[in-house]
Amino acid sequence: MNGEFAAFNNTFILYRRNQGNINIIPLGEYDVDVVSGGYHIEITRNFEGNFEVYFNYTLEITAVETGYTTSEIFSFYTHAGPALDNIVVTPLPPETTTTPTTPTTPTTSTNGGPIDMTLLMLAGGGIAVVVILAIIIKSRK
């Protein structure tokens, strides 16, 4: 809110609005001296309903809302002047369940740590390419 709205003056408010109802329920707020300039705002919500709102990479609002599990509408209200740009909505990855797997014994190197098979395969592939190139060059001479 920029300017006065109810009891809020120069305040960023995270609120919930029930579908079909014009009333808003403030969940948290962040007061500033003057709303001007740019703000980088990030809003996160986890599966337990915990909101975190960051302003310029600093956590300023925390709130919990467990009555709803999805959000379908994003709104921005202000007097004339302020605007939004570059809104990005990123869904959280789906919750994963762990399934028991058969334990395997890692191959160990001389220092006792596991061998990185990816690095081993890349090194072997590089050596194979060098050998093939050497054979092709030798056969052309």
Side-chain angles (χ1 to χ4, degrees):
M1 304 296 170
N2 184 0
E4 207 155 316
F5 177 78
F8 303 110
N9 189 14
N10 293 323
T11 303
F12 291 95
I13 305 167
L14 174 67
Y15 67 87
R16 182 189 84 210
R17 172 175 281 170
N18 297 336
Q19 185 174 357
N21 190 334
I22 63 168
N23 297 324
I24 62 173
I25 295 107
L27 301 175
E29 61 186 71
Y30 170 51
D31 292 312
V32 295
D33 292 331
V34 176
V35 177
S36 66
Y39 289 88
H40 178 91
I41 302 171
E42 290 187 28
I43 303 170
T44 65
R45 182 180 187 193
N46 65 17
F47 289 110
E48 288 78 37
N50 298 307
F51 281 95
E52 292 183 340
V53 184
Y54 294 83
F55 291 83
N56 299 329
Y57 306 100
T58 302
L59 179 63
E60 298 292 351
I61 298 175
T62 58
V64 178
E65 169 54 53
T66 58
Y68 293 89
T69 57
T70 61
S71 298
E72 296 179 4
I73 298 173
F74 173 83
S75 299
F76 174 72
Y77 296 99
T78 184
H79 293 284
L84 292 178
D85 189 15
N86 300 331
I87 298 171
V88 177
V89 177
T90 306
L92 290 172
E95 289 186 272
T96 58
T97 56
T98 57
T99 55
T101 58
T102 306
T104 59
T105 306
T107 307
T108 57
S109 64
T110 55
N111 66 3
I115 296 174
D116 185 355
M117 294 306 291
T118 305
L119 183 59
L120 187 62
M121 289 172 40
L122 286 174
I127 292 170
V129 168
V130 170
V131 169
I132 292 170
L133 285 175
I135 292 171
I136 291 172
I137 290 171
K138 281 241 183 219
S139 66
R140 287 190 176 180
K141 288 185 177 182

